[in-house]
Amino acid sequence: MEVPTTTSLHQIYPEEALSTQKRRWQNLLSQFKTTYDRSADFVSRSPGRVNLIGEHIDYSLYEVIPMAVTADVLLAVSVNARKDGPSRVRIANVDSSKFPTREFEIPSEGEIEIDASSHEWTNYFKSGLLGASQLLAKNKNKGDHFPSVGMDILVDGTVPSGGGLSSSAAFVCASALAVMKANGDDKVDKKELVELAVVSERNVGVNSGGMDQAASVFSLRGSALYVSFKPTLSAKAIEFPPTKPELTFVVAQSFVAADKHVTAPVCYNLRVVECTLAAEFLAKAFGLKRPLPQDSGPLGVSLRGFQDTYFEEKEGVADNTQTPVPHFQQQLEKLVQLTEDYLIQEDGYTREDIAAILRVSVDQLNARYMSAFPVRAERFLLRQRALHVFNEAIRVLKFMALLSSPPAKDEDLLNGLGELLNQTQASCRDVYDCGCPELDELCTLARAAGAYGSRLTGAGWGGCSVHLVPADKVDAVRQAWTEKYYKKRFPDISDERLEEAVVVSKPGSGSSVFVVEGRTEL
Ligand code: NG1
């Protein structure tokens, strides 16, 4: 399926957001003209996302259920005619005090360099550019590298950065899409765009999974997404059943900035390493004969690969990627039990412990799993990480089952979904160690004011939370947060910031290209 080309903002935003968005787009296009003294040719757009359930399991290749939000990243682009020699990119942001204007060359030979050690906003554009150039080279049969044309770009993002709504993926996806379009590729395949964006975002220093990019590109207005990574990346739209009271998701910022690029060696990238090592450790502990399959997990093997190999070898399943959901869930339940029985060290495993089980040296262990994305840890909590992943994968299946065959009483459905969200929160906080007290407080306050379920969303360690709230309790929940959290913790908080802090989120639409040339109306 191709990324759509849109001709009207009505196709992108819900009715209630239209007037604000129109003003914002007009401002973007007129600022483009003043900055570059010409009009933009097109705007590429990709939204942020909120993850409903399935936290920290995408990089172990388990299913997740995110949805796009209305907040997005826009790149207004004007293409320079191709000339001999390197092309130039000028890139500015409507918020130029925070994101200074940059200019750089695209080399005619070899790839663009990205310095992941500097926290530079245009690195995300460069990541998208790099990935798109590789895809263009493949699609146009041009060897390994296709030097892009030059561009003038003005960026406007409304996804808060470090806020858990995945501004980075929105920016990388919108950038890659812009480069594809600028180089004449009008039929960008959604799956190819997601795959390239996942890999290219890793150039910025975080060894990420694929959920955010999938949500940003595949989402359709009004539906959440069931994203699968195995046997291959796919996404299915999920409708929410009509309920009374209406099922509403509310997103609340903790305003604890979670900068996962800075904390990656002790937070995000470390979790990726722990999950990967848990997979290898379990495979050795159970004496699996085949090596774990190479897959799209960030380090090449995954807990999902372990599950498939285990049941294929131990229980004679022919191809575990074809196992029906009820059996798959039983397998996961068995893996929870096996993890409890075989990964027994509550206080974690040292590099020496793990190297001994994997029958490699510590140097080999470091080189294989911890060199491209270095981590800092003395002990690796393999037991806890595997338990979170298997249990969270079960919760996703249960959540999906509730949505696809809802119980007769709405109350049972809402309570059932809410309970799963609450369990995720507890597991993220106590087992996966990706919570923080502020997120916990937001959840406690919401539940006391009527939410069915509450949890952190995204990577955690700050950022954002998501709450399933009956429509008639949204005001009460918002008020509880305003009085007992925001005004208490941030006494000087402005009305504008308070307004941004809480968003009632309807599922938004995914990436698109908007052709500006020749258009007088938005
Ligand atoms: P955030 O940090 O919220 O964008 C990150 C990863 C996801 C996923 C979640 C945890 C990136 C770009 N995204 O999301 O792939 O692993 O954490 O579920 O790193």
Side-chain angles (χ1 to χ4, degrees):
M1 239 208 286
E2 285 156 17
V3 175
T5 298
T6 46
T7 49
S8 149
L9 298 193
H10 290 265
Q11 292 166 304
I12 305 176
Y13 300 108
E15 205 53 42
E16 62 273 17
L18 270 177
S19 62
T20 318
Q21 290 300 337
K22 238 184 197 163
R23 272 199 305 279
R24 174 180 168 230
W25 279 61
Q26 270 154 356
N27 174 54
L28 174 73
L29 295 175
S30 69
Q31 206 172 317
F32 189 97
K33 258 192 195 154
T34 12
T35 312
Y36 297 115
D37 207 18
R38 58 175 173 163
S39 300
D41 300 329
F42 66 86
V43 175
S44 75
R45 164 191 188 268
S46 246
R49 63 95 189 95
V50 54
N51 187 21
L52 301 182
I53 195 154
E55 216 58 86
H56 282 282
I57 61 172
D58 59 343
Y59 49 85
S60 291
L61 304 191
Y62 285 103
E63 286 71 10
V64 294
I65 309 184
M67 67 186 197
V69 293
T70 307
D72 55 15
V73 175
L74 306 177
L75 267 72
V77 181
S78 159
V79 181
N80 300 334
R82 195 178 277 287
K83 291 197 288 263
D84 286 342
S87 322
R88 286 199 81 71
V89 171
R90 293 190 288 177
I91 179 165
N93 195 298
V94 291
D95 186 354
S96 56
S97 55
K98 205 163 157 199
F99 305 106
T101 300
R102 306 282 187 218
E103 209 175 319
F104 62 89
E105 272 185 0
I106 301 174
S108 1
E109 301 285 330
E111 307 210 307
I112 182 110
E113 276 179 26
I114 301 170
D115 176 8
S117 65
S118 88
H119 197 42
E120 159 59 36
W121 75 280
T122 53
N123 276 353
Y124 296 95
F125 174 77
K126 288 182 180 168
S127 297
L129 169 66
L130 174 64
S133 307
Q134 288 163 345
L135 181 59
L136 283 161
K138 191 183 112 201
N139 290 353
K140 294 179 190 274
N141 289 322
K142 295 272 184 196
D144 294 342
H145 182 64
F146 178 86
S148 167
V149 287
M151 286 163 273
D152 288 338
I153 302 168
L154 183 62
V155 181
D156 182 8
T158 50
V159 192
S161 64
L165 296 179
S166 213
S167 55
S168 57
F171 193 7
V172 173
C173 291
S175 301
L177 180 59
V179 176
M180 300 295 290
K181 168 78 187 155
N183 286 279
D185 198 331
D186 287 328
K187 295 189 167 41
V188 180
D189 181 67
K190 288 186 179 180
K191 183 165 177 260
E192 283 189 332
L193 178 62
V194 173
E195 284 170 342
L196 89 81
V198 174
V199 175
S200 37
E201 191 163 341
R202 293 185 186 145
N203 292 309
V204 189
V206 177
N207 210 359
S208 50
M211 163 171 72
D212 303 347
Q213 299 81 355
S216 191
V217 173
F218 282 116
S219 283
L220 298 175
R221 200 153 105 202
S223 317
L225 274 191
Y226 183 70
V227 183
S228 310
F229 301 97
K230 231 185 156 184
T232 162
L233 174 73
S234 65
K236 192 168 85 184
I238 314 172
E239 305 290 328
F240 295 123
T243 53
K244 277 201 185 104
E246 195 191 343
L247 204 147
T248 314
F249 288 98
V250 184
V251 175
Q253 298 286 339
S254 67
F255 290 140
V256 176
D259 196 342
K260 67 179 185 305
H261 296 89
V262 177
T263 61
V266 288
C267 293
Y268 194 91
N269 289 351
L270 176 58
R271 293 292 176 277
V272 174
V273 168
E274 287 175 315
C275 288
T276 310
L277 291 178
E280 296 280 29
F281 193 106
L282 286 168
K284 281 285 181 300
F286 290 109
L288 299 187
K289 296 192 190 68
R290 280 186 281 146
L292 293 183
Q294 285 296 308
D295 56 31
S296 61
L299 290 169
V301 294
S302 63
L303 280 165
R304 176 65 175 270
F306 162 71
Q307 174 172 356
D308 291 342
T309 315
Y310 180 91
F311 287 97
E312 284 165 9
E313 282 197 15
K314 298 283 179 189
E315 299 196 358
V317 176
D319 173 3
N320 204 48
T321 61
Q322 303 302 317
T323 297
V325 171
H327 289 152
F328 195 80
Q329 188 172 323
Q330 284 165 7
Q331 292 182 351
L332 282 163
E333 279 153 10
K334 180 160 183 184
L335 291 181
V336 169
Q337 192 56 54
L338 291 175
T339 305
E340 281 174 352
D341 295 345
Y342 287 84
L343 273 174
I344 50 175
Q345 286 180 211
E346 294 270 1
D347 61 348
Y349 295 79
T350 62
R351 285 170 210 243
E352 287 72 19
D353 294 337
I354 299 167
I357 285 277
L358 303 194
R359 288 183 224 113
V360 295
S361 68
V362 170
D363 284 348
Q364 285 167 324
L365 186 83
N366 289 336
R368 163 72 181 87
Y369 302 99
M370 293 172 248
S371 61
F373 295 87
V375 300
R376 291 196 302 276
E378 296 295 319
R379 305 189 77 85
F380 297 78
L381 300 186
L382 307 188
R383 172 187 170 90
Q384 291 84 339
R385 307 318 178 217
L387 284 176
H388 168 81
V389 171
F390 295 140
N391 279 312
E392 184 70 357
I394 294 173
R395 283 189 282 274
V396 170
L397 298 180
K398 290 184 175 168
F399 198 88
M400 190 60 193
L402 279 170
L403 289 178
S404 39
S405 329
K409 283 202 205 132
D410 287 351
E411 204 52 26
D412 292 343
L413 169 67
L414 295 164
N415 279 322
L417 296 173
E419 178 51 28
L420 291 167
L421 300 184
N422 289 337
Q423 288 172 10
T424 298
Q425 173 61 12
S427 185
C428 283
R429 181 191 58 215
D430 303 333
V431 188
Y432 213 69
D433 292 325
C434 62
C436 72
E438 292 83 353
L439 286 166
D440 230 23
E441 194 182 333
L442 285 168
C443 293
T444 311
L445 288 169
R447 289 182 202 128
Y452 289 106
S454 292
R455 65 178 206 83
L456 65 84
T457 183
W461 296 289
C464 228
S465 57
V466 63
H467 309 262
L468 176 60
V469 184
D472 56 351
K473 296 277 173 55
V474 171
D475 286 344
V477 171
R478 190 195 290 265
Q479 200 183 342
W481 285 329
T482 305
E483 299 308 324
K484 299 183 183 148
Y485 182 84
Y486 295 115
K487 289 198 169 162
K488 236 166 107 186
R489 281 184 186 263
F490 313 96
D492 299 330
I493 191 166
S494 65
D495 288 346
E496 201 189 342
R497 196 144 163 85
L498 247 182
E499 187 77 9
E500 285 165 11
V502 178
V503 178
V504 178
S505 202
K506 294 247 167 68
S509 52
S511 311
S512 56
V513 174
F514 185 98
V515 179
V516 180
E517 237 179 340
R519 192 161 299 285
T520 47
E521 277 278 297
L522 282 171

